[in-house]
């Protein structure tokens, strides 16, 4: 039931604080240690892993891209992310020391299923991150970390994405824990910060009116661009995917640093460009992204910037500023994606599209 919302998608966007809290529930003990009992792969095996390969499709692939930054940073294990549809056709190098992590909301995506079957034939260990109890992908994996988002009905994934991020963070931090990585208080602080994320997401939802107004303003734009760096880059890709799926308009996400290597030629007068600014503390990156805002603005783009509430420089560089709460860099996608989901949902609504059942799309893609 839509419980008073016009679309399941909008309801699911607003369910994210709870979905994230439920996905964290019971996975941290009172000493703030991670407990992932469902991971039926022994700590000894996890200590021997020398490579991680994340395989997924669509939005789940983008959560995998965020996971790569986090997992490599916390565990120092090399981590690749690959589209499931590409994986087995390139004769990938995997062996029993490879940990394959597959991410799928539905657990039934054919491309992803075929990819993990291939990985298991090469004797890799496979952990599934999945939202659907007993689906084919978790059944065919060695272990599963369930996201507890509840059923996702809207074709466009929203709470699927944010809860996948949580599961990926938990896995990364767990691997760091079992491998005895020494980060002083950093891991403890992150675990505590994860517990504050439902409130941070709620804070973003409470600011929705600004985004709804923007969607109305840009309803006739033929194209929208999204820029981000580091974990902001997958957020840019996901923001663009949401808009393509729901509003049927040209939308592209770019790594902001790539702008000068081509995409800047697309900028013309009035083109809406969303830019995700990294938190302060990653100042080198942040400075570069702020320069990118000026570069696209000088060429006529209308810049909509997502940055920390007290980042005066980012605010000054932008035309429209969407305030993000202060969170660690690696966790920022959990809050920066919220306005982009709301923007796509609202723009499609104003256009009169069926938001829950976009044309040509199915909720789970069970053919390769
Ligand atoms: O169920 P899965 O997570 O395996 O689905 C993967 C993609 O098909 C899915 O994320 C798709 O891209 C969504 N429609 C995105 O909103």
């Amino acid at each position: 039931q839509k419980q008073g919302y016009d679309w399941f998608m909008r309801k699911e966007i607003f369910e994210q604080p709870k979905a994230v809290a439920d996905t964290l529930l019971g996975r941290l003990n009172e000493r703030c240690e991670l407990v992932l009992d469902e991971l039926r792969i022994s700590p000894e095996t996890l200590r021997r892993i020398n490579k991680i390969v994340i395989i997924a499709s669509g939005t789940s692939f983008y959560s995998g891209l965020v996971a790569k930054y986090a997992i490599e940073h916390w565990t120092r294990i090399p981590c690749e992310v690959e589209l499931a549809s590409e994986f087995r056709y390139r004769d990938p190098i995997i062996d029993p020391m490879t940990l394959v992590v597959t991410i799928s909301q539905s657990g039934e995506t054919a491309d992803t299923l075929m990819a993990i079957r291939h990985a298991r034939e090469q004797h890799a260990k496979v952990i599934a991150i999945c939202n659907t109890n007993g689906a084919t992908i978790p059944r065919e994996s060695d272990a599963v970390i369930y996201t507890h988002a509840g059923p996702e009905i809207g074709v466009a994934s929203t709470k699927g994405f944010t809860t996948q991020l949580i599961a990926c963070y938990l896995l990364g931090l767990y691997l760091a824990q079992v491998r005895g990585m020494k980060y002083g208080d950093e891991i403890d602080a992150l675990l505590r910060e994860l517990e504050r994320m439902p409130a941070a997401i709620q804070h973003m939802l409470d600011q929705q009116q600004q985004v709804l107004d923007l969607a109305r303003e840009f309803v006739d734009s033929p194209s929208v661009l999204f820029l981000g760096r580091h974990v902001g880059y997958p957020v840019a890709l996901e923001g663009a995917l949401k808009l393509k799926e729901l509003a049927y308009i040209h939308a592209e996400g770019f790594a902001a640093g790539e702008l000068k290597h081509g995409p800047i030629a697309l900028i013309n007068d009035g083109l809406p460009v969303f830019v995700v600014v990294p938190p302060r503390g990653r100042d080198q990156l942040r400075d570069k992204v702020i320069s990118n805002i000026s570069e696209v603005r000088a060429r006529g783009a209308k810049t909509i910037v997502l940055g920390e509430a007290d980042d005066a420089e980012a605010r000054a560089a932008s035309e429209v500023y969407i305030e993000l709460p202060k969170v660690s860099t690696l966790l920022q996608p959990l809050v920066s994606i919220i306005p982009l989901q709301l923007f796509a949902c609202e723009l499609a609504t104003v256009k009169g599209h069926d938001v829950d059942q976009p044309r040509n799309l199915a909720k789970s893609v069970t053919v390769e």
Side-chain angles (χ1 to χ4, degrees):
Q1 294 318 313
K2 292 190 209 145
Q3 292 165 0
Y5 288 94
D6 51 351
W7 304 112
F8 280 107
M9 181 192 180
R10 206 185 298 272
K11 170 174 168 273
E12 289 159 5
I13 291 173
F14 278 84
E15 282 172 350
Q16 290 177 106
K18 179 171 187 313
V20 161
D22 288 350
T23 302
L24 288 166
L25 198 71
R27 285 168 167 164
L28 284 175
N29 69 16
E30 56 295 342
R31 289 192 303 281
C32 212
E33 288 160 351
L34 276 164
V35 193
L36 286 184
D37 289 340
E38 64 259 61
L39 265 197
R40 295 177 316 241
I41 301 178
S42 70
E44 293 69 47
T45 307
L46 292 176
R47 280 194 272 274
R48 280 200 302 272
I49 294 302
N50 62 14
K51 181 167 88 164
I52 296 175
V53 180
I54 302 179
I55 306 172
S57 311
T59 289
S60 303
F61 173 71
Y62 299 146
S63 62
L65 288 180
V66 174
K68 173 186 165 76
Y69 289 89
I71 291 176
E72 283 195 340
H73 177 68
W74 293 330
T75 68
R76 310 310 296 153
I77 308 171
C79 179
E80 299 167 9
V81 192
E82 181 136 8
L83 286 168
S85 55
E86 290 293 319
F87 180 69
R88 73 183 169 129
Y89 298 100
R90 65 168 181 91
D91 194 13
I93 304 165
I94 41 176
D95 61 29
M97 312 276 268
T98 308
L99 177 65
V100 169
V101 178
T102 182
I103 310 175
S104 174
Q105 188 286 132
S106 62
E108 300 294 348
T109 301
D111 289 316
T112 311
L113 179 61
M114 295 307 163
I116 64 161
R117 282 187 183 155
H118 182 78
R120 291 195 80 198
E121 279 162 19
Q122 321 297 310
H123 309 289
K125 289 276 180 225
V126 177
I127 297 178
I129 291 176
C130 183
N131 193 44
T132 314
N133 252 303
T136 313
I137 289 171
R139 275 194 280 114
E140 295 205 13
S141 301
D142 295 287
V144 52
I145 302 176
Y146 280 111
T147 50
H148 298 300
E152 194 180 59
I153 312 285
V155 164
S157 188
T158 52
K159 59 180 183 173
F161 179 71
T162 41
T163 55
Q164 285 166 353
L165 292 180
I166 294 290
C168 291
Y169 294 137
L170 292 176
L171 177 63
L173 292 168
Y174 182 74
L175 288 172
Q177 184 178 292
V178 296
R179 292 166 72 98
M181 303 301 288
K182 299 276 179 270
Y183 287 112
D185 295 336
E186 183 185 335
I187 295 208
D188 272 11
L190 275 163
L191 290 171
R192 284 178 211 289
E193 193 179 349
L194 276 176
E195 295 197 305
R196 294 196 296 273
M197 293 316 290
I201 295 172
Q202 186 60 51
H203 176 78
M204 295 308 298
L205 293 169
D206 293 342
Q207 320 292 319
Q208 68 158 330
Q209 195 54 49
Q210 182 189 18
V211 179
L212 304 187
D213 294 343
L214 269 180
R216 287 185 203 116
E217 184 181 338
F218 292 118
V219 70
D220 294 321
S221 298
S223 171
V224 180
L225 301 187
F226 295 82
L227 304 177
R229 277 189 92 129
H230 193 263
V231 290
Y233 169 43
V235 170
L237 295 172
E238 171 63 1
L241 178 63
K242 291 283 92 89
L243 211 52
K244 285 181 245 198
E245 283 189 293
L246 302 172
Y248 319 148
I249 59 177
H250 170 251
E252 276 193 76
F254 295 110
E258 281 295 290
L259 204 58
K260 57 188 171 302
H261 299 291
I264 200 160
L266 289 170
I267 308 293
N268 58 20
D269 223 25
L271 178 78
V273 180
F274 283 80
V275 188
V276 185
V277 180
R280 269 153 336 148
R282 298 210 60 105
D283 284 329
Q284 265 192 321
L285 270 188
R286 183 181 141 271
D287 290 353
K288 293 197 168 91
V289 174
I290 293 175
S291 302
N292 293 142
I293 300 170
S294 308
E295 284 155 17
V296 295
R297 214 175 147 182
R299 289 162 179 82
K302 174 102 181 170
T303 51
I304 304 129
V305 174
L306 289 74
E308 287 182 327
D310 60 353
D311 189 338
E313 280 172 277
R315 189 189 291 271
S318 56
E319 279 154 292
V320 179
Y321 197 66
I322 299 178
E323 294 182 358
L324 303 177
K326 216 169 223 356
V327 297
S328 299
T329 302
L330 286 166
L331 306 190
Q332 197 197 43
L334 285 168
V335 289
S336 54
I337 194 58
I338 306 294
L340 307 188
Q341 296 170 342
L342 285 165
F343 181 77
C345 180
E346 184 64 11
L347 202 138
T349 304
V350 178
K351 276 180 171 285
H353 296 171
D354 184 335
V355 168
D356 287 335
Q357 294 286 333
R359 69 184 182 200
N360 309 335
L361 292 175
K363 183 64 185 161
S364 74
V365 184
T366 52
V367 285
E368 267 193 283

